[in-house]
Amino acid sequence: MTGELSPIDKAKFVAAKRAVEYVEDGMRVGLGTGSTAAWMVRCLGEMVREDGLKIKGVPTSTRTADLARQVGIEVISLDEAKWLDVTIDGTDEYDGNLNLIKGGGGALLQEKIVATASDMMVVIADISKRVETLGAFPLPIEVIPFGLQTTQALVEETLVSMDVLGNNVTLRMNGDVPFVTDEGNHILDLHLNRIGNPRQFSLVINQIPGVVENGLFIDICDAVVIGYGDGKVEVRDINAGTVQEDRIDFVENENLFTDLTD
């Protein structure tokens, strides 16, 4: 099955395969959302089915919950878990300090809550997600529907005084209607190009009435697992200050995941 993957999907797969090595029997695991995180959920499902791994998963979206149940992972709520051993999730961007932009899939609020309720957050990514300065990927912010236009206007006004290169704000759409998050909110995408001070930006933008949360993950990620299309994997641990390289061998006739969809 892996022999049929594109280089980018191979990179996602090997990153996910390496990241699930952080998971041990009996753990409570935060399950991220997105195409890369879906590979991780599938790998954990294989370990549950084939190796007898016993874990409890806390998903960060309804679609992740559906996939987790499909592959045999026991799903519980964060309130039931209370605290998590590790959360594994993807990212839209990461910098050298392992600060992130997340929310391209529209699940940033649950993702941030779950990640901060974990002893460790591991991010899986391909090398294209590495940036010198955050902001090339549009920064999502989750906003409540009430007063949406007023909130957007306040956000646009605030951007004028911030250390960013762009100030275009767009409402995320789902076809002809606004995108709706699992919490019933909307997403504003901020096209900033460059965020000079992500920490300050995160604090300021969250003070705007109507803004629930933003997609900047500052000092939350502990390690990033970077996959490459040739099977190479690089693990950067911000706490230990280490960089390790590994390699995941492909099994060309492997039929894992063939009955699953993102």
Side-chain angles (χ1 to χ4, degrees):
M1 162 23 175
T2 49
E4 302 170 1
L5 296 178
S6 67
I8 191 71
D9 279 334
K10 285 183 180 179
K12 293 177 179 180
F13 172 71
V14 297
K17 196 76 171 176
R18 175 63 177 82
V20 296
E21 294 180 16
Y22 284 95
V23 179
E24 299 176 2
D25 205 53
M27 279 189 169
R28 294 157 296 179
V29 183
L31 307 175
T33 294
S35 60
T36 308
W39 288 109
M40 174 271 301
V41 174
R42 293 167 177 176
C43 289
L44 284 176
E46 179 201 7
M47 295 167 67
V48 169
R49 297 190 308 272
E50 304 296 329
D51 304 328
L53 178 71
K54 291 181 174 58
I55 60 171
K56 295 182 178 180
V58 174
T60 54
S61 67
T62 54
R63 60 186 181 275
T64 294
D66 291 342
L67 178 59
R69 293 188 181 99
Q70 184 181 350
V71 300
I73 298 172
E74 180 184 354
V75 172
I76 63 173
S77 69
L78 183 57
D79 285 337
E80 290 175 295
K82 295 184 174 59
W83 196 259
L84 305 176
D85 297 288
V86 63
T87 287
I88 306 177
D89 204 347
T91 189
D92 297 304
E93 281 186 351
Y94 70 93
D95 66 13
N97 294 317
L98 303 196
N99 294 317
L100 320 170
I101 285 182
K102 289 180 52 56
L108 67 96
L109 179 56
Q110 287 191 22
E111 288 175 333
K112 186 175 281 191
I113 292 172
V114 169
T116 54
S118 306
D119 287 337
M120 183 179 195
M121 183 191 189
V122 178
V123 162
I124 45 181
D126 60 83
I127 192 61
S128 69
K129 303 299 174 63
R130 169 66 193 266
V131 295
E132 291 301 317
T133 304
L134 295 176
F137 190 91
L139 174 68
I141 61 173
E142 185 159 339
V143 298
I144 67 170
F146 178 82
L148 174 61
Q149 293 184 7
T150 300
T151 301
Q152 181 168 341
L154 288 170
V155 170
E156 291 170 342
E157 181 180 331
T158 300
L159 293 182
V160 174
S161 62
M162 300 302 292
D163 184 8
V164 295
L165 290 183
N167 56 12
N168 185 35
V169 179
T170 58
L171 175 64
R172 187 176 300 185
M173 303 296 290
N174 182 15
D176 296 330
V177 298
F179 175 85
V180 178
T181 69
D182 281 352
E183 290 75 36
N185 297 319
H186 298 312
I187 297 285
L188 294 177
D189 287 309
L190 281 51
H191 303 264
L192 307 174
N193 301 320
R194 172 187 173 276
I195 304 173
N197 189 332
R199 188 184 307 277
Q200 179 192 47
F201 189 96
S202 179
L203 292 172
V204 170
I205 209 72
N206 274 13
Q207 296 304 308
I208 297 175
V211 174
V212 180
E213 189 53 84
N214 70 81
L216 285 167
F217 283 51
I218 310 297
D219 298 334
I220 296 176
C221 175
D222 295 285
V224 61
V225 181
I226 308 153
Y228 294 80
D230 63 356
K232 187 178 81 169
V233 177
E234 185 178 290
V235 181
R236 293 182 172 269
D237 188 311
I238 193 71
N239 300 313
T242 58
V243 179
Q244 297 178 333
E245 289 191 0
D246 201 350
R247 182 168 295 276
I248 304 294
D249 293 326
F250 290 110
V251 180
E252 297 298 331
N253 63 354
E254 189 174 12
N255 63 1
L256 294 174
F257 323 135
T258 54
D259 57 339
L260 304 177
T261 57
D262 272 351

